Amino acid sequence: MESVARIENIAKVYQKGNSPAVYALRDVTLAIPRGQYIAIMGPSGSGKSTLMNILGCLDRPTNGSYFLAGRDVAKMNDTDLSKARGENIGFVFQAFNLIPELTVEENVEVPLFYQSVPKAESRKRAIEALTLVGLNERLGHRPSELSGGQQQRVAIARALVTKPSILLADEPTGNLDSTTGEAILSMFDDLHQKGLTIIMVTHDDSIADRCERVVRLKDGNIDRDDLMKVKA
């Protein structure tokens, strides 16, 4: 299968002054096929967040190579890296990270502002994304007027509005009750069925069971990489 992203022999080392080096990742190699639904799991300190930050172009590795949509990230300057991130990656976090002063459609438009998308086109795409997540009747509302589940739907719409090739989700149901969390996970299932590549950090085995592949990290290494089921 075609890889939408690929990391090879990635290491991330943190060192401050004369303190001992801390290896967050050690020689990690991972290919992300287009359209796959992947869970990233592991105990605290295993390297999950570091791996997600590198995949999301929020951080650069100390060693190794990262190819995003066929391009070598190491050869990009900060401007090119920001552009590649905006075009290819959508982010959904446990905290919704919405701007309280903005309406839901204005929140969804924020990534398009940084891509210099014209206002009319930006608004059109924001409404389309909100319709996709079932919030077209909440236009004009601000985050404080929405439930937690609705706020996370806005965050998902914001992640989707740029039409990314990869959706990165970090514990996206962590702040939600079980019923609302199930509704959000069902939305991820639907997005996957439509062909979106999804990489989700989770500590919940029941959530990982919904994925096609589970990558487990331990001490900065890939401990296990299990293909759970074949995509229909």
Side-chain angles (χ1 to χ4, degrees), residues 53-65:
N53 286 341
I54 289 174
L55 287 171
C57 298
L58 297 174
D59 199 2
R60 293 180 184 266
T62 305
N63 295 302
S65 302

Side-chain angles (χ1 to χ4, degrees), residues 28-232:
V28 173
T29 295
L30 189 67
I32 310 296
R34 187 175 299 278
Q36 198 167 65
Y37 192 176
I38 303 173
I40 305 291
M41 305 189 75
S44 178
S46 61
K48 301 187 302 296
S49 295
T50 302
L51 178 58
M52 289 288 275
N53 286 341
I54 289 174
L55 287 171
C57 298
L58 297 174
D59 199 2
R60 293 180 184 266
T62 305
N63 295 302
S65 302
Y66 177 26
F67 297 91
L68 176 62
R71 298 180 62 197
D72 187 348
V73 170
K75 295 181 180 179
M76 298 180 190
N77 59 32
D78 288 345
T79 300
D80 290 340
L81 186 65
S82 179
K83 186 172 185 291
R85 179 172 59 241
E87 291 175 349
N88 291 282
I89 308 291
F91 297 93
V92 180
F93 301 99
Q94 181 174 338
F96 315 129
N97 295 332
L98 301 177
I99 301 172
E101 295 81 10
L102 302 183
T103 64
V104 295
E105 58 268 36
E106 289 169 341
N107 267 281
V108 173
E109 287 181 86
V110 167
L112 300 177
F113 171 80
Y114 291 104
Q115 293 184 7
S116 301
V117 176
K119 182 65 178 178
E121 174 67 13
S122 178
R123 181 55 53 94
K124 175 176 176 288
R125 286 171 61 176
I127 293 173
E128 288 174 351
L130 286 163
T131 300
L132 180 65
V133 301
L135 285 180
N136 52 304
E137 295 183 356
R138 303 310 297 267
L139 301 180
H141 289 73
R142 287 179 167 75
S144 62
E145 301 173 296
L146 305 179
S147 68
Q150 289 171 330
Q151 290 184 58
Q152 190 61 296
R153 286 174 183 263
V154 175
I156 293 170
R158 181 183 57 197
L160 296 175
V161 75
T162 58
K163 301 178 181 178
S165 53
I166 302 174
L167 183 66
L168 294 179
D170 191 354
E171 300 281 5
T173 60
N175 284 337
L176 305 175
D177 63 77
S178 58
T179 301
T180 305
E182 175 61 30
I184 295 297
L185 291 171
S186 293
M187 184 180 301
F188 279 102
D189 292 342
D190 291 340
L191 291 168
H192 167 237
Q193 290 298 320
K194 292 175 181 176
L196 184 62
T197 307
I198 303 175
I199 306 173
M200 182 183 298
V201 166
T202 181
H203 67 279
D204 191 329
D205 286 315
S206 66
I207 294 176
D209 286 343
R210 307 172 83 112
C211 301
E212 293 178 292
R213 181 182 177 191
V214 179
V215 176
R216 297 180 187 271
L217 300 180
K218 182 179 180 181
D219 299 328
N221 294 293
I222 293 179
D223 187 46
R224 292 180 57 181
D225 187 350
D226 298 321
L227 192 63
M228 306 303 290
K229 57 186 177 181
V230 178
K231 185 180 178 183

